[in-house]
């Protein structure tokens, strides 16, 4: 659609005779409009949150953005733009030379070529570029352009087109590779979420690095406390330093149903899909940036979702809830403290497994703690909590190294439980899960966020990357639900909560503003208003520009028509040569004398004397008021016929 | 081609080649300046110092046998009588005797014409336009061959009086020599190793032959259609949005005369549209005044004329 308008702008100049005499100033203004448009588009694309596809999408919009420049050139009286329009330095130089009266050669360039190049790039970046029609289309276009430029040699065109085709294929391949590479690095940067696998820092040394950026914002309903832990996923199989979900894959996810309660749609998170009275449940709002398949951080006993603008919600049997948002920023209410879990009950063997390398130390520790299998859950949790809170220390400086050989060395968990007794949440959660399992209680490793930072200015809570946490999900056989158990000493909260740096606060502010703006814009009632306002503004601006252009238009019709001379006009046999010459030379500009135009045929013809003689005779017969000699007329007719024949052969 | 035509072509070629042997690398300009002389006009050379304006004037004067060459260096204190001449009381006869000024010549080089006061400038103006000088109420006719080559420097503005538009209109052409190529410049150096080539220049044509050339230029045929083209071209400057003061009918007249003279140098007895286009800017541009907006946006009258040529349909 846009391409069609653009093509109309470019080609329309051949149909209408309206032209403007654009000054340098007008060119400068058009360039300003174009630049402002490009900057605006860049900002909008950036706001839209596509950080890695920003450049390609900007490039694909570029042909539309440079319409003003193309318009100036297509409908102006000049064929090319002076370079001083674009360059401040060139402008300065020109001003100086004007002041001193120096003669200056202004270099100029044809904007059409730039437009063509940009359009080609944009077309190859577009979504249709991988279709089978694209390449032949491109070749056809290129060939047509070459033909129309007057290099009418079909045989020469074949190798040129083939070369162009090969280059296009190569370029296309390179582009795909680049896209792949960009996509890869982008997904790595985003830390692509895998609901069935998580690697831990167990056994590696160094300080923990986490982003301080705000990922979610949470606001509890009035007078209710926020949940302490928000889980994104849980895992049941520990191997090496990684947690994974045994025998589960992505197909495990099932779509969640919606239920209308009191006129509003709720997503039911509970494993049985039973609805509960939302009025009886506490709730909080959750706001953040999400992509397709992003996991939603939810309390362990979350029951329902309301108000998120989603295409769908999925949940797996481990209770991981992932969303398919309609817009990059989502916002909605989460109802929790329900009487059920999103998770399915434990799986027989899998939720009791302890890796062979850890079995010995887990057994020893269990004996030390005096836990025997079969002790009530409450007792076991109390003992473990005391054990970890009293005897262990939380640290973000990791020192335990996983030995190279698991047979000889002691494992990282072993060293954590015996001599080091210091680590971060992943150590605590992993050890606790293994100890609980050894004590006969199904337990899982849960990852997510701790809700800990109050947003004093705006109310509610913010969740940053640094608030990422790991804990245990423990199966309560009596209640038939999974409950959270966090073995990490509570002082860990203190170790990471400090006042954010100024730059971080600035980033937070930007992020908040961006997200809030997006939410506001994406609300259906605002959406209409925004597009209406944008439309009106665009219309007003277009009207303004069109009005000013209309006032300053000039018809070049008179110039293109005949001179207005109505006296007798002699025609010579050479005039009949014009259509054939046009094939070689293109259209004759109205101001170019016929003889000079024809003389450009010289490189094409092998015998130049014929042409020169014919032109001289034509000039005499045409412009000498004295009646021509019959001999000269015959001679010219003969020469014209000869030239005609020769041009046919070329 | 008759014998008379042959001798005309030969004379013009002789004159041109003699001047070109001194003024190196500028055959186009030399031909235009000579055409201007043959057409009975005057030329204004606007150029940087040292580009050969004086040499050109001198060379033209020297190649014409029996032609008188005079040079006036214009200064702010130059008086009209310094140009036209003055009557002095002869104590012996008790009568005023007229001492003719430098204007009574064949070829006059008015150097840096914009340095003189407007009063002095306009004294020259009458002489140029009417080919006569009125001094103390008496009319003095100037010679049939009266050719003024005026020069002005485009760089300096201080202490100058820009020529009024009316006076600019009196010049048939304004052109600039410009700088020559490096090769030409080194040829100039080689020429002047021992002596200035102008000094060695011998007259190649007589004054009578020049007058004959002038007469033959007037006989060069000019078709109705091209006359219409010239008028269209000049008329296009009127009402042009960038032009405050457009070209007068005098411009059309000059364009016709110059192209007729140029045809003589081309050895032709009729005018073709290419000739008109080649000198149109030199003949028309200096007579026009730019509109203020156009002036400050960097337009020039020459450029406007070039645009008009490009967009005005030419007879084919």
């Amino acid at each position: 659609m846009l391409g069609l308008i653009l093509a109309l702008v470019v080609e329309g100049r051949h149909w209408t005779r309206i032209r403007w005499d654009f000054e340098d100033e007008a060119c400068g203004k058009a360039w300003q409009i174009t630049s402002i448009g490009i900057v605006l588009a860049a900002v909008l694309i950036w706001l839209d949150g596509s950080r890695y596809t920003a450049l390609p999408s900007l490039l694909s919009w570029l042909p539309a953005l440079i319409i003003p420049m193309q318009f100036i050139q297509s409908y102006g009286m000049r064929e090319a733009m002076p370079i001083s329009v674009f360059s401040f330095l060139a402008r300065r130089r020109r001003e100086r030379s004007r002041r001193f009266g120096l003669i200056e050669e202004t270099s100029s360039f044809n904007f059409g070529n730039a437009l063509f190049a940009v359009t080609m790039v944009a077309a190859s970046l577009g979504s249709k570029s991988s279709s089978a029609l694209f390449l032949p289309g491109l070749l056809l276009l290129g060939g047509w352009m070459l033909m129309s430029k007057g290099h009418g040699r079909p045989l020469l065109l074949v190798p040129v087109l083939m070369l162009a085709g090969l280059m296009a294929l190569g370029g296309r391949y390179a582009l795909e590779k680049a896209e792949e590479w960009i996509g890869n690095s982008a997904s790595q940067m985003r830390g692509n979420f895998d609901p069935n696998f998580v690697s831990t820092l167990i056994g590696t040394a160094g300080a923990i690095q986490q982003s301080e950026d705000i990922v979610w914002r949470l606001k509890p309903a009035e007078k209710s406390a926020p949940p302490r832990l928000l889980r994104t996923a849980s895992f049941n199989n520990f191997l090496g330093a990684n947690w994974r979900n045994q025998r589960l894959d992505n197909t495990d996810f099932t779509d969640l149903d919606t239920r209308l309660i009191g006129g509003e749609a709720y997503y039911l998170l509970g494993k049985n899909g039973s609805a509960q009275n939302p009025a009886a449940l506490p709730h909080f709002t959750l706001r953040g940036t999400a992509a397709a398949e992003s996991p939603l951080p939810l309390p362990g006993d979350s029951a329902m979702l309301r108000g998120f603008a989603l295409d769908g919600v999925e949940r797996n049997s481990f209770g991981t809830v992932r969303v398919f948002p309609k817009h990059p920023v989502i916002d909605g209410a989460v109802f929790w403290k329900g009487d059920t879990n999103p998770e399915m009950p434990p799986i027989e063997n899998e939720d009791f497994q302890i890796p062979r390398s850890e079995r010995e130390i887990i057994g020893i520790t269990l004996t030390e703690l005096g836990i025997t299998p079969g002790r009530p859950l409450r007792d076991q949790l109390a003992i473990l909590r005391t054990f970890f809170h009293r005897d262990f220390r939380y640290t973000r400086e990791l020192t335990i190294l996983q030995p190279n050989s698991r047979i000889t060395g002691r494992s990282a968990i072993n060293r954590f439980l015996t001599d080091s007794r210091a680590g971060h949440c992943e150590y605590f959660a992993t050890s606790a899960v293994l100890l609980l399992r050894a004590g006969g209680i199904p337990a899982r490793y849960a990852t997510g966020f701790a809700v800990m930072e109050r947003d004093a200015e705006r109310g509610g809570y913010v969740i940053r990357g640094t608030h990422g946490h790991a804990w245990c999900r423990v199966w309560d056989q009596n209640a038939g639900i999974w409950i959270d158990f966090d073995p990490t000493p509570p002082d860990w909260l203190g170790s990471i909560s400090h006042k954010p740096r100024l730059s971080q606060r600035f980033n937070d502010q930007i992020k908040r503003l961006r997200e809030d703006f997006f939410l506001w814009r994406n609300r259906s009632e605002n959406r209409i208003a925004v597009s209406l306002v944008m439309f009106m503004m665009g219309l007003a601006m277009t009207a303004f520009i069109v009005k000013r252009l209309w006032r300053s238009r000039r018809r070049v019709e008179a110039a293109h028509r005949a001179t207005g001379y109505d006296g007798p006009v002699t025609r010579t046999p050479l005039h009949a040569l014009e259509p054939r010459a046009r094939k070689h030379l293109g259209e004759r500009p109205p101001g170019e004398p016929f003889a000079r135009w024809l003389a450009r045929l010289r490189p094409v013809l092998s015998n130049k004397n014929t042409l020169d003689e014919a032109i001289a005779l034509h000039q005499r017969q045409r412009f000498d008021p004295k009646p021509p000699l019959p001999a000269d007329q015959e001679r010219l007719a003969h020469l014209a016929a000869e030239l005609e024949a020769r041009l046919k052969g070329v | 081609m008759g014998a008379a035509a042959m001798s005309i072509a030969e004379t013009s070629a002789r004159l041109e080649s003699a001047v070109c042997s001194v003024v190196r690398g500028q055959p186009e300009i030399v031909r235009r300046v000579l055409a201007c002389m043959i057409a009975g006009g005057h030329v204004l050379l606007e150029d940087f110092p040292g580009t050969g304006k004086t040499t050109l004037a001198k060379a033209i004067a020297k190649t014409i046998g029996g032609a008188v060459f005079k040079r006036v260096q214009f200064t702010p204190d130059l008086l009209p009588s310094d140009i036209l001449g003055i009557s002095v009381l002869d104590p012996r006869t008790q009568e005023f005797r007229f001492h003719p000024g430098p204007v009574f010549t064949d070829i006059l080089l008015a150097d840096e014409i914009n340095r003189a006061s407007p009063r002095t400038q306009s004294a020259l103006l009458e002489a140029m336009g009417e080919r006569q000088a009125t001094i103390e109420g008496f009319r003095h006719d100037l010679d049939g061959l009266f050719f003024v080559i005026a020069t002005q420097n485009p760089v300096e503005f201080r202490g100058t009086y820009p020529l009024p538009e009316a006076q600019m209109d009196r010049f048939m052409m304004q052109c600039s020599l410009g700088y020559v190529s490096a090769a030409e410049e080194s040829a100039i150096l080689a020429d002047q190793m021992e002596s200035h080539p102008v000094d060695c220049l011998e007259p190649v044509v007589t004054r009578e032959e020049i007058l004959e050339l002038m007469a033959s230029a007037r006989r060069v045929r000019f078709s109705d259609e091209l006359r219409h083209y010239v008028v269209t071209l000049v008329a296009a400057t009127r009402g042009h949005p960038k032009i405050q003061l457009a070209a007068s009918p005098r411009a059309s007249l000059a364009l016709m005369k110059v192209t007729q003279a140029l045809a003589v140098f081309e050895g032709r007895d009729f005018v073709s549209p290419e000739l008109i286009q080649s000198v149109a800017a030199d003949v028309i541009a200096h007579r026009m005044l730019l509109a203020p907006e156009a002036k400050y946006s960097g337009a020039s009258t020459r450029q406007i004329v070039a645009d008009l040529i490009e967009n005005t349909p030419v007879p084919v």
Side-chain angles (χ1 to χ4, degrees), chain B residues 148-164:
Chain B
V148 177
I149 302 179
T151 74
Q152 67 177 8
N153 188 331
V155 186
E156 285 172 76
F157 296 118
R158 251 167 245 159
T160 62
Y161 303 91
L163 288 174

Side-chain angles (χ1 to χ4, degrees), chain A residues 171-330:
Chain A
R172 178 85 215 134
Y173 178 75
L175 211 68
E176 265 165 19
K177 282 282 151 203
E179 219 164 65
E180 216 169 81
W181 180 74
I182 288 176
N184 274 345
S185 53
S187 67
Q188 268 165 26
M189 298 287 277
R190 247 184 274 129
N192 229 8
F193 171 74
D194 184 348
N196 295 320
F197 178 85
V198 66
S199 65
T200 71
L201 291 175
I202 292 173
T204 51
I208 297 171
Q209 301 287 337
Q210 278 167 314
S211 155
E212 278 192 54
D213 286 344
I214 293 177
V215 275
W216 295 96
R217 280 184 289 160
L218 181 150
K219 203 167 197 173
E222 271 176 64
K223 282 184 221 153
S224 67
R228 214 178 70 75
L229 295 169
L230 297 177
R231 188 174 53 96
T232 50
S234 29
F235 308 88
N236 67 350
N237 186 282
F238 181 62
L239 193 69
N242 305 320
W243 278 96
R244 64 188 84 220
N245 287 347
Q246 207 61 22
R247 294 200 203 140
L248 286 178
D249 50 41
N250 269 351
T251 55
D252 185 39
F253 278 98
T254 51
D255 279 330
L256 286 183
D257 299 327
T258 50
R259 179 80 49 89
L260 277 174
I261 302 170
E264 292 206 66
Y266 289 83
Y267 284 106
L268 306 178
L269 297 173
K271 61 184 172 222
N272 342 325
S274 59
Q276 297 175 47
N277 179 15
L281 296 177
H283 71 271
F284 59 88
T285 57
L286 193 64
R287 176 177 291 192
T289 310
E293 297 194 1
S294 282
L296 219 51
L298 296 172
D301 47 3
S302 49
M304 291 185 285
L305 301 177
R306 187 188 69 192
F308 287 98
L310 302 172
D311 286 328
V313 181
E314 290 181 347
R315 182 203 55 201
N316 69 3
S317 60
F318 274 60
T320 296
V321 175
R322 63 184 192 187
V323 292
F324 295 84
K326 280 198 169 82
H327 311 296
V329 180
I330 56 172

